């Protein structure tokens, strides 16, 4: 049994990744410790954000099955995303005075800047592959790379929401609750009962609205960025001229993103519809990409890719 594990299981990349993933929550809580500081709190937030992003990455890899995406390419997209996305998105949103009270401003001052930022890593890969004379990536592969870029952006965004917006809001909530807690104590209620009665609602809201973002934000951003990546792939693979299709995915993603953030939609039933439509479009283009890879001849010279039929995580 020991020999089998040594020669088979431990040589498998997915198995090692699985073992790492199941250890991450424990590692994060050990780092947090009994007396967390602001620094350890930020570190743990990044650990959990990366944890859920990688979990979504594994699921997307199984669903999309990109045949030519290698691990170095994934690392390249991730590094470029971490270096460029947040600074670019923040700069554009500040210059455009981002706000979500109206649908139009929500699209062009929030959705468009963030989707542009997520497109940068995919465009960089397309340019690098073109300069190196490599043409093995397909539109479906670019869709997957776009999704990876979206996962990175979503993870970065949720850390900001949790460590900045979330804690600031929670502090204000606790501060405003102090008079009510004091009043209950003065009327004969115990301190624990008073704190529980006043703060249980806000604590539940904090957990659901902010903590669950670690799970949900990366995948929604991945769906939108994947749409942009697919149409970039149509151009990068020579199937269409850049001015005919390259903008389509970006526009669709920006509109869906703007609808998602619009104050009249976000947090209401229509919000669920926008999420479902985003997922359906993402899966639809992944399926179309799979068919076109088989039916449409590649306009570039055929490339020889060692292990192209292997799963993406083995490249």
């Amino acid at each position: 049994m020991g020999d089998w594990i040594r020669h088979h299981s431990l040589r498998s990349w997915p198995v090692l990744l699985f073992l790492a993933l199941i250890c991450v929550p424990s590692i994060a809580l050990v780092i947090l410790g009994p007396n967390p500081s602001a620094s350890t709190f930020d570190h743990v937030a990044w650990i959990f954000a990366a944890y859920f992003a990688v979990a979504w990455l594994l699921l997307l890899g199984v669903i999309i099955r990109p045949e030519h995406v290698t691990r170095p390419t994934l690392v390249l997209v991730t590094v470029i995303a971490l270096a460029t996305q947040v600074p670019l998105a923040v700069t554009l949103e500040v210059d455009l005075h981002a706000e979500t009270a109206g649908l139009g401003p929500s699209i062009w001052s929030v959705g468009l800047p963030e989707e542009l930022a997520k497109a940068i890593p995919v465009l960089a890969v397309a340019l690098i592959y073109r300069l190196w004379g490599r043409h093995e990536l397909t539109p479906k592969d670019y869709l997957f790379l776009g999704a990876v870029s979206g996962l990175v952006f979503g993870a970065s965004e949720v850390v900001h929401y949790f460590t900045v917006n979330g804690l600031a809001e929670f502090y204000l909530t606790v501060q405003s609750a102090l008079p009510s807690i004091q009043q209950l104590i003065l009327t004969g209620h115990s301190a624990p009962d008073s704190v529980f009665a006043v703060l249980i609602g806000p604590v539940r809201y904090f957990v659901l609205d902010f903590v669950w973002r670690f799970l949900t934000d990366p995948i929604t951003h991945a769906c939108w960025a994947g749409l942009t990546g697919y149409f970039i792939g149509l151009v990068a693979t020579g199937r269409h001229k850049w001015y005919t299709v390259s903008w389509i995915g970006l526009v669709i993603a920006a509109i869906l993103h703007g609808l998602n953030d619009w104050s009249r939609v976000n947090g209401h039933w229509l919000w669920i519809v926008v999420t479902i439509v985003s997922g359906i479009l993402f899966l639809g283009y992944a399926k179309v990409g799979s068919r076109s890879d088989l039916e449409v001849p590649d306009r570039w010279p055929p490339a020889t890719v060692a292990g192209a039929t292997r799963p993406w995580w083995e490249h």
Side-chain angles (χ1 to χ4, degrees):
M1 184 66 178
D3 291 339
W4 186 90
I5 294 176
R6 182 170 60 255
H7 293 296
H8 294 84
S9 296
L10 297 184
R11 293 173 59 187
S12 172
W13 169 254
V15 170
L16 291 176
L17 189 56
F18 169 77
L19 293 175
L21 282 174
I22 64 176
C23 292
V24 165
S26 300
I27 294 172
L29 293 177
V30 168
I31 292 175
L32 188 63
N35 300 304
S37 64
S39 176
T40 57
F41 192 80
D42 288 349
H43 293 161
V44 170
W46 273 108
I47 290 173
F48 276 114
Y51 173 80
F52 286 112
V54 172
W56 281 119
L57 174 65
L58 293 176
L59 180 59
L60 290 176
V62 172
I63 294 174
I64 301 173
R65 297 186 180 277
E67 297 181 355
H68 309 99
V69 175
T70 63
R71 288 198 295 271
T73 304
L74 291 178
V75 172
L76 177 63
V77 169
T78 301
V79 170
I80 296 175
L82 289 172
T84 63
Q85 287 178 340
V86 172
L88 177 59
V90 170
T91 300
L92 291 175
E93 288 179 348
V94 170
D95 291 343
L96 294 172
H97 306 288
E99 56 101 356
T100 58
L103 177 58
S106 184
I107 292 174
W108 62 262
S109 69
V110 178
L112 185 59
E114 293 189 7
E115 296 308 319
L116 278 171
K118 289 185 286 184
I120 297 299
V122 185
L123 289 170
V125 169
L127 179 61
I128 291 172
Y129 269 60
R130 186 176 181 86
L131 292 176
W132 287 355
R134 298 177 59 183
H135 309 296
E136 65 267 19
L137 293 182
T138 66
K140 183 178 70 172
D141 295 324
Y142 280 102
L143 177 138
F144 183 71
L145 293 178
V148 173
S149 178
L151 289 174
V152 176
F153 184 90
S156 302
E157 183 181 68
V158 74
V159 170
H160 177 78
Y161 271 120
F162 190 70
T163 59
V164 180
N165 301 36
L167 291 183
E169 183 172 328
F170 189 69
Y171 171 77
L172 294 175
T173 300
V174 173
Q175 188 178 43
S176 64
L178 289 178
S180 298
I181 295 174
Q182 185 178 22
Q183 181 64 32
L184 287 174
I185 293 175
L186 292 176
T187 56
H189 295 81
S190 67
D193 289 343
S194 301
V195 172
F196 183 84
V198 175
L199 288 180
I200 184 60
V203 168
R204 285 177 175 175
Y205 174 80
F206 177 81
V207 171
L208 292 176
D209 193 56
F210 288 97
V211 175
W212 272 101
R213 286 181 178 270
F214 282 95
L215 180 60
T216 59
D217 272 20
I219 190 59
T220 52
H221 280 288
C223 289
W224 299 327
L227 298 177
T228 304
Y230 178 81
F231 285 92
I232 291 175
L234 291 178
V235 176
T237 56
R239 287 168 167 80
H240 296 275
K241 299 293 185 181
W242 68 268
Y243 53 82
T244 61
V245 299
S246 60
W247 53 272
I248 296 177
L250 180 64
V251 170
I252 295 174
I255 292 174
L256 290 171
H257 193 154
L259 279 169
N260 179 85
D261 289 8
W262 186 23
S263 59
R264 292 191 177 183
V265 171
N266 195 276
H268 303 281
W269 286 104
L270 189 56
W271 188 31
I272 302 173
V273 176
V274 173
T275 302
I276 293 174
V277 170
S278 301
I280 290 174
L281 285 174
F282 177 81
L283 294 175
Y285 279 109
K287 187 173 183 179
V288 169
S290 299
R291 290 179 177 177
S292 63
D293 293 344
L294 296 175
E295 298 172 0
V296 179
D298 196 349
R299 292 177 56 181
W300 300 110
T304 301
V305 184
T309 59
R310 292 180 295 165
W312 64 273
W313 56 72
E314 295 183 3
H315 290 175

